[in-house]
Amino acid sequence: MVRRWLVTGCSSGLGRALVAAAAAAGDVVVATARRTGTLDGLVRTHPDRVLPLALDVRDPAQCEAAVAAATDRVGGLDVLVNNAGNGVFGTVEEVADDELRDQLETLVVGPWRLSRLVLPLMRAQGAGDILNISSLAGRMAFPGLAAYVTGKYALEGMTQALAAEAAPFGIRVSALEPGGYATRYGTSLTDAAGRSPLYAAFTDPMRGLLGAMAEGPTVGSAEEFARTVLRIVATPGPLPVRIPVGPGSHAYVEAAAEAAAAELTAARALLDGTPS
Ligand SMILES: NC(=O)c1ccc[n+]([C@@H]2O[C@H](COP(=O)([O-])OP(=O)(O)OC[C@H]3O[C@@H](n4cnc5c(N)ncnc54)[C@H](OP(=O)(O)O)[C@@H]3O)[C@@H](O)[C@H]2O)c1
């Protein structure tokens, strides 16, 4: 079958690779980016299958226009991929209210709004997939990336609620938790304006690690990620609500589960006097 996709954040990285892979597989993609010029190459390669559109997910009117374009110009929507994301680097004390709000607009409010807009369309079709590109930072927090972690935890909470709400209508909703993939993510982080030397002993090394993430020996390619997403979408039946994908992701989720179990044991010891 030819699937119709709407993907956010297609100027680079995972979103861009996903558009290329879906179009190469014969699907039709409403490919969106804040700067549409970044989509020119994709359109040149697949002029009949890639429909470029301006979309900053923080902008409600542009979100509405993108979903309307899917209805009017490609006749419906089979897959929404909430991929757009960026990161504000800083601890809780360093990140200001407006920086936090902006981070949550991109990571949570945008995906929430787009999901709300596509639900009537998918419900009428009796089918559809909503894939939220989360992070392993939505499983276990990294200190120093407090706003990003908060956004991804919120996205995972929304995904879990929506998965149960939408399932009766034949709509599948999952959060994908990428392990390390070589993209601009680590280098496009912005520093909170209030970064303080007080935290530098642990934030500086972490900033360095994230900046070099794409060059690490254990990172995957965006193309591998895209192939995995195509496989997930083509798999019939219910999907896991949270899907860790890519290098190191399964080990990370196991570590997060062990940390949760240890926390429960410690809480029991605290409250019941049970030995920990
Ligand atoms: N790479 C990894 O290993 C990894 C790991 C965990 C999670 N992720 C998640 O994967 C997703 C894609 O990231 P990536 O790794 O491909 O990094 P990337 O290359 O930096 O791509 C991020 C994309 O999101 C776009 N974007 C940012 N804010 C936006 C907004 N408000 N509205 C619309 N587009 C916006 C960027 O557009 P501009 O060019 O306009 O900035 C860019 O196209 C993100 O949600 C990220 O959190 C990636």
Side-chain angles (χ1 to χ4, degrees):
M1 76 177 268
V2 173
R3 290 187 173 79
R4 298 154 302 179
W5 300 66
L6 170 57
V7 184
T8 67
C10 304
S11 72
S12 66
L14 305 184
R16 186 175 189 85
L18 185 53
V19 175
D27 289 349
V28 178
V29 190
V30 179
T32 70
R34 291 194 278 198
R35 294 161 293 126
T36 47
T38 58
L39 303 170
D40 289 352
L42 288 166
V43 177
R44 259 196 309 278
T45 313
H46 303 286
D48 302 329
R49 301 198 194 121
V50 175
L51 176 69
L53 221 60
L55 176 57
D56 183 325
V57 300
R58 297 168 299 180
D59 182 328
Q62 287 192 344
C63 289
E64 282 173 25
V67 175
T71 321
D72 300 343
R73 296 169 69 181
V74 301
L77 195 59
D78 301 301
V79 191
L80 165 66
V81 184
N82 282 310
N83 165 74
N86 56 4
V88 178
F89 190 83
T91 62
V92 168
E93 187 176 357
E94 292 167 329
V95 174
D97 292 356
D98 57 344
E99 291 170 320
L100 174 62
R101 280 196 197 96
D102 191 62
Q103 179 78 97
L104 299 182
E105 280 285 334
T106 296
L107 297 185
V108 186
V109 181
W112 186 302
R113 177 187 300 123
L114 283 164
S115 300
R116 191 174 57 233
L117 288 166
V118 305
L119 281 167
L121 199 57
M122 291 183 171
R123 196 165 45 238
Q125 295 169 175
D129 289 341
I130 298 176
L131 301 181
N132 294 325
I133 309 305
S134 178
S135 170
L136 293 169
R139 287 269 188 175
M140 193 158 67
F142 303 119
L145 257 183
Y148 179 77
V149 163
T150 300
K152 293 300 191 184
Y153 264 72
L155 182 64
E156 298 230 340
M158 171 206 148
T159 303
Q160 290 177 55
L162 180 57
E165 293 161 4
F169 304 111
I171 301 166
R172 305 187 300 181
V173 183
S174 290
L176 271 54
E177 299 165 323
Y181 287 100
T183 68
R184 284 190 318 152
Y185 173 76
T187 49
S188 66
L189 290 169
T190 51
D191 283 287
R195 290 249 350 243
S196 152
L198 279 174
Y199 291 100
F202 80 88
T203 52
D204 282 358
M206 176 152 181
R207 187 78 169 87
L209 278 177
L210 287 166
M213 192 173 100
E215 290 134 39
T218 55
V219 289
S221 72
E223 290 70 27
E224 283 163 23
F225 173 83
R227 282 194 292 277
T228 303
V229 175
L230 259 56
R231 214 172 67 229
I232 289 169
V233 165
T235 304
L239 296 173
V241 176
R242 299 199 282 176
I243 310 177
V245 292
S249 61
H250 293 185
Y252 192 94
V253 170
E254 280 161 8
E258 278 169 26
E263 195 176 43
L264 180 59
T265 303
R268 283 203 176 111
L270 172 72
L271 299 175
D272 309 339
T274 321
S276 59

